Amino acid sequence: EVQLVESGGGLVQAGGSLRLSCAASTSTFDDYTIGWFRQAPGKEREGVSCFSKSDGSTYYADSVKGRFTISRDNAKNTVYLQMNSLKPEDTAVYYCASGIISHGPSWPPLRVAYWGQGTQVTVSS
């Protein structure tokens, strides 16, 4: 069963904005927290942002802090990633993922259980 479906990727000029959406199944949305990852060609997949279901705390990679915002619509079982002031280095396939918040010394604080299929984001110079 598909747990997570991303959408909203595309081509945007540097400095522009995109909003990614991650639609989750009801059980996934209710039982897990959801975060965003990205993977550029030839690079390791990295955490971008996630939030805690328990207290609503949000977490961001240093590279996107102040530019990206994670949010959710509980009625739609959907998590969003608003991406502003996009840079060419933001170009990657973006994945949403469900899991459990697990705080530790390293980033990201999310233990992933399920992955979405990914959506391409390309930022031109």
Side-chain angles (χ1 to χ4, degrees):
E1 179 183 1
V2 177
Q3 302 289 325
L4 305 160
V5 179
E6 301 99 329
S7 62
L11 175 64
V12 65
Q13 195 171 18
S17 299
L18 285 173
R19 188 178 74 163
L20 306 183
S21 299
C22 175
S25 67
T26 298
S27 59
T28 296
F29 195 86
D30 289 346
D31 295 342
Y32 298 95
T33 193
I34 294 175
W36 290 93
F37 292 72
R38 66 186 182 185
Q39 187 167 22
K43 300 292 185 179
E44 191 172 88
R45 189 172 298 184
E46 62 178 350
V48 175
S49 180
C50 62
F51 69 91
S52 170
K53 283 177 60 69
S54 60
D55 62 8
S57 297
T58 57
Y59 306 89
Y60 299 93
D62 289 341
S63 59
V64 307
K65 195 173 298 181
R67 300 187 298 120
F68 292 9
T69 303
I70 190 170
S71 62
R72 63 182 177 182
D73 186 332
N74 292 335
K76 296 181 179 180
N77 292 346
T78 300
V79 173
Y80 303 97
L81 185 68
Q82 178 67 46
M83 306 185 295
N84 297 328
S85 302
L86 283 162
K87 305 174 180 179
E89 52 262 44
D90 295 319
T91 295
V93 176
Y94 283 70
Y95 301 86
C96 63
S98 62
I100 304 296
I101 290 290
S102 181
H103 294 288
S106 61
W107 173 262
L110 181 67
R111 184 178 180 180
V112 174
Y114 300 99
W115 294 97
Q117 84 286 355
T119 185
Q120 177 70 48
V121 171
T122 302
V123 184
S124 62
S125 300

